[in-house]
Amino acid sequence: MFVTSLLRVLLYLVCLSVAIYTRRPGNLFDVNDGQDVVRLIFEVLVVLGAVTYIGYDLIRVLVKAGPVTAVKAWVKDAPMKLLFLCSCCLVTLVVIGRLAEYRPLEDVSLSLVAVGSWSYLLFYCRGFRLVGPFVVMIYEMIVVDVLRFVLIYVIFLIGFSQALHFLLKDGSESFETAWGSAMTVFQMTLGSFEYAELKKGKLVLLVHTLFIIFMLLAGVLLFNMLVAMMTGTYQNIIVRSSMEWKRQWAKIIMVLEASLSSDQRLRYQNMYSIDMNTILQPSGRRRSRIPALMVTKQRDDMSIRHRTARFHWQRAETLAKRVNELRVLAKGESEKLTLQAVGSSTRKQKGVVEVWTGAK
């Protein structure tokens, strides 16, 4: 199920990339050569794929689990899947913009679709032991570390941008508007700023003082604090990387199972479970299926006794599945022999009736 879903997403992303890279300026309804034909074909495939995801993964889950429960589960366990489903909904805006011949709506929507669609691969990367913990680091750094840093940084940004806007708006074009002042102060934090702009206003000494204080607070203190917080998050996750990967793998399975129907879930459950009802009743009589799972855990610090016990449990699990298969096979053979015996008896009775009728 995981591999099938991943391949389907990769196919959708390939179609989206071809549709984007083959676009040309001008009227997109015109078909002049083979490149335009290829673009139209892959655009149709992208629209069909988006509609399929909306109907299969979005509407189906919303109806089955409820809008509030489904959205909470996606935000908590699969934010990139929610972003991908939103990008699929934006594909409808691309179609509307194309039909209405309103190019800005189409271009903006398609740009957001590309970002949201390719970000969905991070959801599947969590299932690989090599990169799964690092994806979790990105999630936690964005949600915890960067969010805390932004909340504090915005306070300094607004305060110093207003002060510099008041002092430099008459002499510098970069500080003429409130938005321009905020973006210029943000560029100061990143080190991309022309120092000569600070000499174009009034009270140059005060401007230089504010600039030094801001750079010490935001450029040195806050950014080093952000690096320290990210380092702590990295160390906490890398210590429990093995368990974290298993936890993320379990979340992926839960999210993928949420989009399956009840019959599909039951079929997958029958594949990896053992029918205890058949095992407990060798006679073959069973009222209903009783699924059971056998879980064997492994740790790096397991002793020889524990490893031996785990090995025997794994053998017992294999033998239990094999016995179950043989009993099902034996039951099928016994039913087949019963049918053959009934057929043979019926033919004999028919022959006796024919002989008796002829004699009469």
Side-chain angles (χ1 to χ4, degrees), residues 131-273:
V131 296
F134 293 95
V135 176
V136 179
M137 291 178 196
I138 295 175
Y139 284 171
E140 294 198 7
M141 287 179 182
I142 292 175
V143 174
V144 180
D145 301 334
V146 176
L147 182 60
R148 276 189 270 180
F149 168 78
V150 169
L151 291 176
I152 299 175
Y153 176 74
V154 167
I155 297 175
F156 290 101
L157 179 66
I158 295 176
F160 282 91
S161 64
Q162 289 180 356
L164 294 176
H165 168 69
F166 174 73
L167 295 173
L168 298 174
K169 64 180 180 180
D170 296 330
S172 175
E173 296 181 357
S174 302
F175 293 92
E176 286 182 350
T177 61
W179 177 254
S181 301
M183 295 304 297
T184 304
V185 172
F186 177 72
Q187 291 178 356
M188 287 182 183
T189 310
L190 301 178
S192 176
F193 177 73
E194 294 183 4
Y195 182 75
E197 296 288 331
L198 301 177
K199 301 178 181 180
K200 296 181 180 180
K202 53 187 177 181
L203 301 176
V204 178
L205 180 60
L206 178 59
V207 171
H208 288 176
T209 304
L210 291 175
F211 172 74
I212 294 173
I213 295 174
F214 175 76
M215 292 303 297
L216 289 175
L217 291 177
V220 178
L221 180 63
L222 290 181
F223 271 95
N224 286 332
M225 186 187 303
L226 177 62
V227 172
M229 289 189 297
M230 290 184 174
T231 303
T233 302
Y234 172 82
Q235 291 177 349
N236 292 334
I237 295 178
I238 208 66
V239 168
R240 49 185 174 90
S241 59
S242 179
M243 297 301 298
E244 186 65 32
W245 170 75
K246 294 179 181 178
R247 188 169 72 92
Q248 296 302 320
W249 178 254
K251 285 186 176 182
I252 292 175
I253 298 300
M254 293 177 61
V255 172
L256 293 179
E257 284 186 349
S259 60
L260 298 177
S261 62
S262 300
D263 296 336
Q264 289 175 326
R265 290 186 183 183
L266 182 60
R267 186 171 69 251
Y268 281 115
Q269 187 185 62
N270 294 337
M271 291 173 60
Y272 58 75
S273 63

Side-chain angles (χ1 to χ4, degrees), residues 288-302:
S288 61
R289 193 176 191 279
I290 304 178
L293 298 176
M294 182 179 294
V295 180
T296 56
K297 298 182 179 180
Q298 181 179 3
R299 297 181 305 177
D300 295 335
D301 56 346
M302 291 178 63

Side-chain angles (χ1 to χ4, degrees), residues 296-313:
T296 56
K297 298 182 179 180
Q298 181 179 3
R299 297 181 305 177
D300 295 335
D301 56 346
M302 291 178 63
S303 62
I304 298 178
R305 182 171 59 88
H306 290 161
R307 293 180 184 274
T308 304
R310 181 177 179 274
F311 173 73
H312 289 305
W313 273 112

Side-chain angles (χ1 to χ4, degrees), residues 45-61:
L45 293 176
V46 170
V47 173
L48 292 177
V51 172
T52 302
Y53 278 112
I54 292 174
Y56 188 79
D57 287 349
L58 181 60
I59 298 178
R60 190 177 186 177
V61 176

